[in-house]
Amino acid sequence: MQLFDVYPLFPVNIVRGQGCRVWDETGTEYLDLYGGHAVISIGHAHPHYVEAVSHQAATLGFYSNSVVNRLQQQLAERLGRACGYDDYSLFLINSGAEANENALKLASFHTGRTRVLAAQKAFHGRTSLAVEVTNNPKIIAPINANGHTTFLPLNDLKAWEQELAKGDVAACIVECIQGVGGIQLATSAFMQGLRKACDAAGTVLICDEIQCGYGRSGRFFAHQWLMDSSPAEEGQEWTPDIITVAKGIANGFPMGAVLISPKFEAVYGQLGTTFGGNHLACAAALAVLDVIEGEGLIENARRVGDYLLTEIQKLNTERITEVRGKGLMIGIELDVPYKEIRQRLLFDEHVFTGCAGTNVLRLLPPLCLNMEEAAEFLEKFKTVINS
């Protein structure tokens, strides 16, 4: 048997990691500005994380959700305090796609409606409902093309308001920083206006924080940058009805979660999962919160991210047409396809980066990236971009 060949692979076999560094089987060292696609939040092989997961594996790796799991309760309490949503409820699953799938089901149960509004360039996952709200026809199979979703331009509030006024929309789902879409940022005016329009229409507002959340933007959630009212808008603070998370929540252990506002009633049997919130996953997620809080990684993401954004914007080159982002989620738009530059960074300078579309380099490093490592990346990037 062989692997089903669906991934275009770099010929590099990574076998070890530490912090923001990884090594291949030949011993070559790489600076990781990709974080395994924004998954590695606290760094590779963090000692506290390794100890916590190892201890849990040696104690109890799994039991079903038919019994009490105190680790789930601890995680709900810790996460609520860390992100500021301690009055929300937590539903644990295994991935970001599952998180969005369940969020959309909750919205449909709650409203009795079937239509969804999503942003152009959105990516919300590859399972049934999640792929249907993803703006990429190439990955929507015929069985998933049910016509439930209307795609609208991000930040075009009038277009969203017009659709919501029809009164048949179950949910609006938005990434406040689009990842696969090329690091496109929602505006405060758009999100505050969308919140009001959803309230008027009886529509559920879902913030997809799977890639941009968990400290990556320099706030716990990216949408929290957009919640602060200006003096003229005092009293207009808003919150999402549902928040979805995954990726960085467990630093590489498969996990996802849905944060659900008090307006929703839990119904036995309505949602469920076999592996979601298992003991190992919860131990990993608790260790992640320990490190994020203990080492100030959210503040670090903001500080180092600001430095990278500023320094990249200073580069005097025609190759860069725009730099976008927040914290350690940065998109460098190029005037040429990213392929050659990304490959030269990897094979000549030994730096992992991500990509989006055809011409955007994406930086998604672990949140522990320090100033020295950021400066090292900048020198390597200058070498490639200037040649």
Side-chain angles (χ1 to χ4, degrees):
M1 185 181 293
Q2 62 184 9
L3 295 173
F4 199 46
D5 190 15
V6 294
Y7 299 114
L9 300 177
F10 288 120
V12 178
N13 179 23
I14 298 300
V15 297
R16 183 168 67 90
Q18 186 68 51
C20 293
R21 311 273 177 176
V22 293
W23 288 262
D24 67 17
E25 61 187 348
T26 70
T28 301
E29 178 183 310
Y30 301 81
L31 181 62
D32 186 8
L33 269 288
Y34 185 50
H37 203 70
V39 167
I40 300 300
S41 50
I42 62 171
H44 297 279
H46 191 286
H48 177 69
Y49 177 86
V50 172
E51 181 181 7
V53 173
S54 299
H55 174 76
Q56 188 60 50
T59 305
L60 178 66
F62 177 83
Y63 206 78
S64 81
N65 284 310
S66 62
V67 299
V68 172
N69 180 346
R70 298 291 184 200
L71 293 175
Q72 290 182 354
Q73 297 172 348
Q74 290 174 31
L75 179 57
E77 293 167 3
R78 289 279 307 278
L79 179 53
R81 290 196 302 270
C83 71
Y85 287 99
D86 55 358
D87 60 336
Y88 279 45
S89 298
L90 184 67
F91 179 64
L92 296 167
I93 53 278
N94 309 287
S95 69
E98 285 181 66
N100 284 333
E101 192 91 8
N102 283 282
L104 291 164
K105 286 168 65 177
L106 273 175
S108 187
F109 281 131
H110 184 74
T111 63
R113 304 170 185 172
T114 59
R115 198 155 78 95
V116 179
L117 303 184
Q120 293 171 1
K121 298 186 179 181
F123 186 93
H124 297 291
R126 294 176 180 269
T127 54
S128 181
L129 285 173
V131 78
E132 196 174 336
V133 296
T134 291
N135 192 207
N136 184 346
K138 292 181 180 179
I139 65 171
I140 301 177
I143 198 170
N144 301 127
N146 296 314
H148 294 138
T149 305
T150 302
F151 293 103
L152 301 168
L154 184 69
N155 295 323
D156 186 345
L157 179 59
K158 184 176 180 180
W160 292 69
E161 289 174 333
Q162 287 175 342
E163 292 296 325
L164 285 164
K166 296 176 182 179
D168 63 344
V169 177
C172 293
I173 184 167
V174 180
E175 304 159 272
C176 288
I177 305 176
Q178 292 183 329
V180 175
I183 316 298
Q184 308 292 337
L185 281 70
T187 66
S188 180
F190 171 71
M191 289 306 299
Q192 292 188 21
L194 184 60
R195 172 72 277 177
K196 293 177 186 177
C198 284
D199 287 341
T203 296
V204 174
L205 178 57
I206 302 169
C207 279
D208 178 340
E209 293 275 355
I210 289 161
Q211 186 168 141
C212 59
Y214 245 79
R216 179 155 297 281
S217 74
R219 300 283 291 269
F220 200 95
F221 291 130
H223 73 260
Q224 290 171 325
W225 285 107
L226 310 178
M227 289 168 57
D228 302 328
S229 298
S230 68
E233 298 171 321
E234 189 173 353
Q236 297 301 310
E237 292 83 0
W238 60 277
T239 57
D241 297 310
I242 299 176
I243 304 164
T244 56
V245 297
K247 292 194 183 293
I249 188 174
N251 202 54
F253 199 99
M255 193 180 208
V258 187
L259 282 66
I260 305 161
S261 76
K263 71 191 292 181
F264 295 88
E265 180 182 358
V267 177
Y268 284 157
Q270 197 175 70
L271 304 179
T273 173
T274 296
F275 295 105
N278 66 73
H279 294 74
L280 270 174
C282 287
L286 286 165
V288 166
L289 285 176
D290 289 342
V291 177
I292 285 177
E293 293 170 352
E295 299 185 6
L297 294 190
I298 296 177
E299 296 78 6
N300 185 72
R302 183 163 60 245
R303 182 173 61 91
V304 179
D306 285 348
Y307 167 71
L308 276 172
L309 276 165
T310 300
E311 294 302 312
I312 295 169
Q313 288 167 344
K314 288 180 182 177
L315 295 179
N316 184 22
T317 172
E318 295 178 353
R319 295 277 77 87
I320 299 174
T321 60
E322 188 178 5
V323 184
R324 300 181 293 270
K326 205 78 172 169
L328 290 176
M329 187 173 185
I330 297 172
I332 307 170
E333 188 166 325
L334 307 165
D335 71 343
V336 293
Y338 62 75
K339 185 175 181 181
E340 182 180 352
I341 291 173
R342 189 184 184 204
Q343 288 184 333
R344 290 192 60 186
L345 279 168
L346 179 61
F347 296 115
D348 296 346
E349 302 297 331
H350 300 136
V351 178
F352 273 99
T353 57
C355 58
T358 59
N359 63 334
V360 177
L361 276 180
R362 239 185 324 166
L363 306 184
L364 304 164
L367 306 187
C368 59
L369 185 77
N370 61 39
M371 286 292 193
E372 292 75 18
E373 290 163 334
E376 178 184 345
F377 164 74
L378 286 167
E379 288 304 311
K380 291 174 180 289
F381 181 61
K382 288 177 192 175
T383 299
V384 171
I385 207 76
N386 288 331
S387 63

